[in-house]
Amino acid sequence: MPSDLSFKSLKPLELREEDFLPSTPVGVVYGTLDNGMCYYVRQNAKPRARAALALGVRIGSVMEEEEERGVAHILEHLAFSATTKYTNHDIVKFLESIGAEFGACQNAMTSADETIYELLVPVDKPELLSQAISVLAEFSAGIRASQEDLEKERGAVMEEYRGDRNALGRMQEAHWLLLMQGSKYADRLPIGLENIIRNVSAETVRNFYRKWYHPKHMAFVAVGDFEDTESVVELIKLHFQEKDPVVEKRAYNELPLYHVPSHEEPRFSCFAETEAGGSAVVVSWKIPSRQIVTVADYRYTVAEGMFHSALNQRFFKLSRQQEPPFFSCASVDDNLVARIRLHGFSERELAMVRAFLTADMESAYLERDQMQSTSYREEYMEHFLHNEPVVGIEYEARLQKAVLPGITATEVADIANLLKARLSCIIKTIEPRVSVTVKDLKNVIAKVQALEDEGSIPPWNEEDVPEEVVENKPEPGVILETTVYEEFGATELVLSNGLRVCYKPTDFLDDQIVFSGFAYGGLSQVPEKDFLTCSMGSTIAGEIGVFGHKPSVLMDILAGKRAEVGTKIGAYMRSFSGDCSPTDLEIALQLIYQLFVTSVHPGNDEVKLVMQMTKEGIEAQERDPFTAYVNRVREINYGNSYYFKPITVKDLRKVDPLRACAFFDSCFKDPSAFTIAIVGKIIPEKVVPLILQYLGGIPSPSEPVMKYNRDDLQGLPFTFPAGIIREEVRRSMVEAQGSVQITFPVELKASNMMEEVHFTSFISKLLETKMMQVLRFKHGQIYTASVSAFLGGSKPSRSSDVCGDIAISFSCDPDSAWKLVEFSLEEVARLQLEGPTKQEVLTVLEIEQRAHENGQQENIYWLDRLSRAYQSRLYVGDLNTSFQAQDQWRDSVRSSLDEVAMQKALCRILPVPCAQRHTAVALVPRPSRMKAIAGLLNTTTVSRKRQRGLECASSCCGD
């Protein structure tokens, strides 16, 4: 069949319900090594010069004995620590040296049933693929798991364990225990037990490893930009069969099956979580999994997907009614399911769901030759671990075309019969304080059952839905000026209403167009007395409907269309952005048109709903210790500026909804203030008329509205502290959590601003890798660390300096917080004094280069490039100058960046000595009353210790 065949002309398969689907994976070289390990190899050039590799092991926490709880996950950690070939985290160093970053949840995961190790590596050098496969082969049979390795890694595992003990983690655990009650799964959460993490022996870990890590339980997946698949298969055989002498000493153990029992009577739980983000009801049903083997199985899966899609649409509409039963819902509510059992779904609801499914499949089909290697990797891993069929996109598209039209409303509604209270149902409430009892839940179930038995639940009431987003099409505008930028393949149009549009055709994805528009002027222009109200404009207007229709109605209008637009009002800019299918670009442009011509008029009921939703959200944040910590960090670092203050429930009473919506309307009123960039699968002959119709058709106001010169904008009132501030944010916690942020002020001079922005990015990445090396790999005290730069506080003037900050953030044992602050400051001071090594600089350069190469293959990268070129200090009308300067600035910094240049940047951009100007804020538990009294009796002064010795010689600044 021709590869360029359009989706609409694709013929459905002619199959019977009992026909089997292909059992062997399609489109991939699939086989088994002599030692029993499966492999999947596929050529795929997205992204170029990269390979997505994975080692999947059908072993997870459910295989653990009582004294091993947590060992499967610990083993995953130890893999990256040391193997027979690699020691002292050499694997991490190798990954970073080739630009493949190492980080939390990026390279491995452990669940109850499996462990997966993943790498995304460059293959533009032949030896890199071989070494990467060698690393994963080491994980299969060469993890060292010595006592020394284990002691180094315990702290990182403990910190991951501690991170899971927040409100969300506790709620998930409670639900897991209720769901899995009566099975081994209930007692085998992958993170394990604290006592075992702290005390398990290396011998216990090694015994688990030898017992279960056998090639017959494993599969290797390699998808990438290979010259050929045969040579990759040979590399797999070379590295994995090299482990045969080790594997032959291991006995093969069959994998036991652990069943989860069903139950007739529903189970109930009323769970109190004082730090919960709100009240919730969770209704779950345990349904036996169904293998997709035949056409009938596939048909059922599609019908099941249609059921949940239609149900979720009802949930959304209910959440936007007056006096809604909930503000959001994505789980199954028994009342609604009972309604479906009685009345089913309407044909219109099913038509909408069919349209959604068809649009998704069409997009996948059109981009079948542009799929990411990581997506194929995931698909093949699912085949190995869960027997998911791999039939190929073209086959599945034809299969869906065959079954989807014939699925009836009755067939979809019948799925509700599996969701009854007496079919392994679990009902759980979550509240900050318990107000609902199990008796209450039982009464609700009885009431709903009685209503269903009586047939008293009325049918679903559907809203009237217009056919089009824009009912009356505007008069098209005209082009006043056209500029073609051949250097980077873009064309700029200036329209008759003053709107500037720049489009760039690409061939990265056949079913994607991305776009964004911006204008200068935002919340910094608002007087302080109006700031609170205006800052709520996006929230209030968004819930009412900013595209000419209520959100629930717009959802129906857009059924089967892939077009999305979102808005943002920041300090110095307001913007909109989105993406669409090329076939739905007209819809996307209609949404932008509606954004500019719609005036939002809030009614009393709508305002009441939005304010109640906002109030609940604020109250949820106030219960969260981490939110209090983040808010305090902002207050300290930004001088208690009103712009960075959190909104309180008391503040909500001061909000004027009419003024808030009027401000939002004014932000998107004058097209002459906006510049729009569009990137993707663009055919100019088709796209330009649509641009003129809907963007050129936006009416100009009688006088300019919020049209600002970037150099005249008001700056935000904030100032970083002059000296040292150290503070503990103490909050009552259910379980002890610790978080730290160390922040340094940054001031970049206007004379060489853009080069300094690149230097700031490089030193941030250097500091992040060093924090991981010191705090995790050396001291074993954290799970992960991040270093981020914030440069968005200063107004976007062409001539002013830029003030911001660089922040080091990590979570840790609260008792270790200040010790780790000292370790961090010592390392920053050492880097300023001695400079990084040559290899450390090369690693940072390689990480940046690999990210840059990947980005160049993505539409969103080029959209960002165009937007930044328009927002550049150099831009005064010639886009080419500012666009080319971006590459020149980057190349200039990269070419100059060696050990000395990095050291000078550290001293130039960060304070020197670094320990003498910073803020450090730690989130720690509030001690109990008795501990607080004991603390007062044993008060010691530590401030002097904290300020001693961390001097960084000022001579490191050099010239």
Side-chain angles (χ1 to χ4, degrees):
M1 183 169 294
S3 60
D4 61 347
L5 187 66
S6 71
F7 180 79
K8 289 181 172 57
S9 60
L10 197 63
K11 293 183 178 179
L13 290 173
E14 296 182 4
L15 295 171
R16 297 168 299 177
E17 293 264 309
E18 62 271 21
D19 286 344
F20 288 92
L21 302 178
S23 57
T24 302
V26 173
V28 61
V29 177
Y30 172 65
T32 305
L33 299 182
D34 292 341
N35 60 18
M37 188 185 81
C38 297
Y39 62 83
Y40 304 73
V41 179
R42 180 182 181 124
Q43 283 178 299
N44 189 61
K46 184 76 173 180
R48 291 190 299 270
R50 298 292 185 278
L53 311 178
L55 175 68
V57 191
R58 290 196 187 111
I59 303 300
S61 56
V62 77
M63 296 301 172
E64 298 165 348
E65 300 300 331
E66 186 64 26
E67 69 278 6
E68 296 173 328
R69 291 176 64 179
V71 165
H73 176 240
I74 290 172
L75 190 58
E76 171 217 306
H77 273 250
L78 291 175
F80 292 92
S81 177
T83 69
T84 53
K85 281 187 177 180
Y86 303 93
T87 61
N88 195 27
H89 294 98
D90 284 342
I91 290 174
V92 176
K93 296 172 187 174
F94 160 69
L95 293 176
E96 291 180 337
S97 73
I98 63 174
E101 293 186 74
F102 172 81
C105 303
Q106 291 182 11
N107 303 101
M109 59 81 64
T110 303
S111 70
D113 292 307
E114 64 246 5
T115 303
I116 302 174
Y117 303 91
E118 297 179 339
L119 301 177
L120 181 64
V121 297
V123 291
D124 48 359
K125 300 175 184 177
E127 69 276 11
L128 296 183
L129 178 60
S130 180
Q131 191 167 355
I133 294 175
S134 170
V135 166
L136 292 172
E138 285 291 290
F139 295 169
S140 71
I143 301 176
R144 191 169 68 181
S146 70
Q147 194 65 37
E148 179 185 1
D149 300 329
L150 183 56
E151 297 306 327
K152 283 183 178 180
E153 203 61 29
R154 285 191 205 273
V157 180
M158 265 309 303
E159 191 48 45
E160 190 175 355
Y161 172 87
R162 189 179 292 107
D164 282 348
R165 303 304 301 166
N166 56 15
L168 179 61
R170 289 189 293 272
M171 291 187 289
Q172 289 176 337
E173 179 179 354
H175 187 65
W176 175 269
L177 294 175
L178 195 63
L179 197 66
M180 300 298 177
Q181 183 179 324
S183 76
K184 191 178 180 182
Y185 284 96
D187 298 322
R188 291 299 182 270
L189 281 168
I191 195 64
L193 300 178
E194 179 178 357
N195 179 57
I196 290 175
I197 295 171
R198 292 187 182 278
N199 300 298
V200 68
S201 68
E203 184 59 29
T204 300
V205 177
R206 287 195 297 269
N207 287 341
F208 181 87
Y209 184 46
R210 294 171 187 142
K211 180 178 181 180
W212 293 117
Y213 269 55
H214 192 280
K216 290 183 179 179
H217 301 321
M218 299 178 184
F220 184 84
V221 179
V223 183
D225 195 7
F226 310 129
E227 290 185 5
D228 62 88
T229 55
E230 293 81 5
S231 60
V232 180
V233 172
E234 290 305 312
L235 285 174
I236 295 170
K237 291 178 179 179
L238 171 67
H239 291 295
F240 280 90
Q241 291 181 344
E242 187 181 77
K243 299 296 178 185
D244 284 352
V246 178
V247 172
E248 287 168 0
K249 297 177 183 178
R250 298 181 178 180
Y252 171 70
N253 295 287
E254 290 282 350
L255 299 182
L257 294 177
Y258 298 103
H259 297 284
V260 179
S262 59
H263 47 91
E264 182 174 316
E265 290 298 320
R267 293 175 182 167
F268 301 94
S269 172
C270 299
F271 187 74
E273 173 52 65
T274 58
E275 297 171 10
S279 300
V281 178
V282 181
V283 185
S284 304
W285 285 267
K286 292 183 290 189
I287 300 172
S289 61
R290 179 168 178 165
Q291 293 291 316
I292 304 175
V293 178
T294 65
V295 173
D297 297 329
Y298 180 82
R299 180 189 179 102
Y300 175 83
T301 302
V302 173
E304 188 177 39
M306 295 173 71
F307 172 86
H308 290 294
S309 180
L311 186 58
N312 279 325
Q313 289 179 48
R314 287 193 180 181
F315 285 152
F316 178 76
K317 291 175 182 178
L318 269 177
S319 71
R320 295 304 181 268
Q321 291 180 352
Q322 297 179 19
E323 302 294 334
F326 45 74
F327 292 138
S328 65
C329 183
S331 59
V332 178
D333 180 88
D334 195 62
N335 191 354
L336 284 172
V337 174
R339 189 195 309 274
I340 292 165
R341 282 195 290 268
L342 285 175
H343 305 289
F345 291 110
S346 70
E347 285 298 332
R348 190 178 108 186
E349 285 179 299
L350 245 63
M352 289 172 56
V353 173
R354 286 194 191 98
F356 281 126
L357 292 177
T358 301
D360 286 345
M361 182 56 72
E362 181 176 9
S363 179
Y365 177 76
L366 292 174
E367 295 177 354
R368 63 196 181 281
D369 297 326
Q370 299 157 328
M371 187 180 289
Q372 291 281 348
S373 292
T374 50
S375 298
Y376 280 121
R377 177 178 67 185
E378 181 180 344
E379 185 178 8
Y380 301 146
M381 195 54 69
E382 286 296 306
H383 176 266
F384 170 70
L385 295 171
H386 306 126
N387 295 316
E388 291 286 336
V390 177
V391 298
I393 292 176
E394 185 172 313
Y395 182 95
E396 186 175 358
R398 297 178 65 197
L399 180 59
Q400 190 198 75
K401 279 198 166 190
V403 303
L404 187 59
I407 296 177
T408 64
T410 301
E411 190 175 349
V412 174
D414 281 348
I415 292 173
N417 292 320
L418 299 174
L419 308 181
K420 294 182 178 180
R422 292 187 176 274
L423 292 175
S424 296
C425 180
I426 294 164
I427 303 172
K428 182 178 77 171
T429 62
I430 302 167
E431 300 175 280
R433 294 181 179 83
V434 171
S435 62
V436 175
T437 66
V438 170
K439 182 179 178 181
D440 294 331
L441 296 178
K442 290 182 176 180
N443 288 340
V444 169
I445 293 297
K447 179 181 177 180
V448 172
Q449 187 62 56
L451 290 172
E452 183 177 359
D453 292 343
E454 297 166 2
S456 302
I457 301 175
W460 177 254
N461 184 26
E462 295 189 278
E463 297 178 282
D464 292 329
V465 178
E467 294 294 326
E468 302 285 344
V469 174
V470 177
E471 294 185 353
N472 299 311
K473 293 185 178 181
E475 285 294 319
V478 297
I479 299 172
L480 299 183
E481 185 179 339
T482 301
T483 307
V484 178
Y485 296 104
E486 295 180 355
E487 298 84 352
F488 47 91
T491 301
E492 180 185 82
L493 309 175
V494 179
L495 307 183
S496 49
N497 57 6
L499 188 66
R500 190 179 301 268
V501 181
C502 183
Y503 63 85
K504 175 179 170 60
T506 68
D507 58 2
F508 302 131
L509 290 171
D510 286 342
D511 196 45
Q512 185 187 66
I513 292 177
V514 294
F515 52 86
S516 66
F518 77 94
Y520 288 109
L523 289 168
S524 75
Q525 301 302 114
V526 175
E528 184 174 352
K529 64 182 179 62
D530 295 329
F531 174 79
L532 182 64
T533 286
C534 293
S535 69
M536 287 289 295
S538 293
T539 301
I540 297 173
E543 290 297 330
I544 295 170
V546 300
F547 301 108
H549 306 279
K550 293 194 301 181
S552 59
V553 173
L554 186 64
M555 179 182 69
D556 286 358
I557 297 174
L558 298 180
K561 309 294 184 184
R562 198 167 73 78
E564 187 174 6
V565 181
T567 65
K568 179 181 179 181
I569 302 176
Y572 302 115
M573 291 184 194
R574 65 264 194 204
S575 61
F576 58 84
S577 60
D579 69 276
C580 64
S581 167
T583 57
D584 294 324
L585 177 61
E586 182 173 8
I587 300 294
L589 296 180
Q590 287 179 346
L591 292 172
I592 297 173
Y593 171 82
Q594 289 287 88
L595 175 64
F596 278 82
V597 301
T598 297
S599 294
V600 181
H601 300 292
N604 290 333
D605 291 334
E606 293 168 323
V607 170
K608 181 181 177 182
L609 172 60
V610 174
M611 300 306 279
Q612 182 62 29
M613 291 171 63
T614 306
K615 177 175 178 288
E616 295 257 348
I618 293 171
E619 290 173 342
Q621 290 183 341
E622 290 175 347
R623 289 190 292 269
D624 178 21
F626 190 78
T627 300
Y629 157 72
V630 170
N631 289 339
R632 184 56 185 150
V633 169
R634 288 178 179 170
E635 290 172 358
I636 291 172
N637 289 344
Y638 306 124
N640 210 19
S641 168
Y642 68 85
Y643 184 84
F644 297 99
K645 280 186 177 180
I647 297 177
T648 65
V649 172
K650 183 178 179 181
D651 291 333
L652 280 183
R653 304 189 191 106
K654 306 173 186 175
V655 172
D656 179 352
L658 289 174
R659 170 78 176 97
C661 290
F663 173 73
F664 181 89
D665 287 344
S666 66
C667 286
F668 302 96
K669 188 63 66 178
D670 189 345
S672 68
F674 279 80
T675 298
I676 301 176
I678 308 175
V679 177
K681 192 68 174 180
I682 293 169
I683 301 174
E685 297 77 25
K686 295 182 178 179
V687 169
V688 171
L690 296 176
I691 289 175
L692 295 178
Q693 175 92 67
Y694 297 107
L695 301 185
I698 297 172
S700 297
S702 57
E703 57 184 40
V705 178
M706 288 190 71
K707 188 172 182 179
Y708 297 101
N709 184 306
R710 63 185 292 173
D711 295 307
D712 298 332
L713 296 175
Q714 297 292 322
L716 293 176
F718 75 95
T719 305
F720 195 89
I724 302 171
I725 293 182
R726 293 192 173 193
E727 184 174 306
E728 286 185 346
V729 177
R730 295 181 174 270
R731 286 293 181 271
S732 298
M733 301 181 190
V734 177
E735 298 191 46
Q737 300 272 319
S739 290
V740 169
Q741 180 168 317
I742 307 165
T743 312
F744 305 101
V746 167
E747 184 173 351
L748 307 182
K749 298 300 181 182
S751 57
N752 54 347
M753 174 62 60
M754 297 316 300
E755 288 91 343
E756 290 292 78
V757 169
H758 284 285
F759 274 117
T760 301
S761 177
F762 281 117
I763 67 171
S764 296
K765 179 52 65 178
L766 173 68
L767 291 175
E768 188 169 274
T769 58
K770 294 303 294 182
M771 290 303 108
M772 286 290 286
Q773 289 174 15
V774 172
L775 303 183
R776 176 169 176 175
F777 301 141
K778 179 180 178 181
H779 294 289
Q781 293 289 308
I782 68 166
Y783 177 46
T784 190
S786 67
V787 176
S788 58
F790 170 67
L791 302 175
S794 298
K795 63 180 183 179
S797 166
R798 291 183 176 91
S799 57
S800 61
D801 297 342
V802 168
C803 295
D805 59 65
I806 290 179
I808 300 170
S809 305
F810 52 84
S811 61
C812 63
D813 184 335
D815 293 336
S816 302
W818 294 110
K819 176 178 67 176
L820 297 184
V821 168
E822 306 299 357
F823 289 158
S824 302
L825 291 173
E826 286 172 356
E827 183 59 23
V828 177
R830 188 197 66 76
L831 287 168
Q832 288 183 313
L833 182 61
E834 302 174 6
T837 66
K838 180 179 180 180
Q839 183 55 54
E840 287 168 344
V841 175
L842 291 175
T843 292
V844 170
L845 286 169
E846 189 70 9
I847 290 172
E848 190 273 347
Q849 176 63 23
R850 297 303 185 178
H852 179 72
E853 291 170 356
N854 285 342
Q856 288 182 307
Q857 303 171 58
E858 301 296 334
N859 287 323
I860 197 69
Y861 167 87
W862 292 103
L863 180 69
D864 181 61
R865 284 289 304 269
L866 289 175
S867 298
R868 285 191 292 114
Y870 277 113
Q871 295 165 18
S872 169
R873 292 183 168 218
L874 285 185
Y875 178 70
V876 289
D878 180 14
L879 188 63
N880 187 55
T881 299
S882 57
F883 192 93
Q884 300 299 338
Q886 294 178 12
D887 289 328
Q888 294 166 7
W889 290 322
R890 175 178 176 269
D891 293 343
S892 172
V893 172
R894 282 186 59 87
S895 64
S896 69
L897 200 61
D898 57 14
E899 306 95 293
V900 175
M902 186 75 90
Q903 181 188 7
K904 288 183 177 180
L906 285 161
C907 294
R908 185 174 64 251
I909 293 172
L910 297 179
V912 179
C914 64
Q916 293 305 307
R917 192 178 181 200
H918 68 273
T919 65
V921 184
L923 172 65
V924 297
R926 177 179 289 147
S928 66
R929 188 177 181 84
M930 293 304 297
K931 284 185 178 180
I933 294 173
L936 289 174
L937 297 175
N938 295 282
T939 301
T940 59
T941 303
V942 297
S943 60
R944 294 176 185 171
K945 292 182 180 179
R946 291 175 179 169
Q947 295 182 20
R948 278 207 308 257
L950 293 171
E951 303 287 325
C952 172
S954 59
S955 61
C956 68
C957 288
D959 297 328

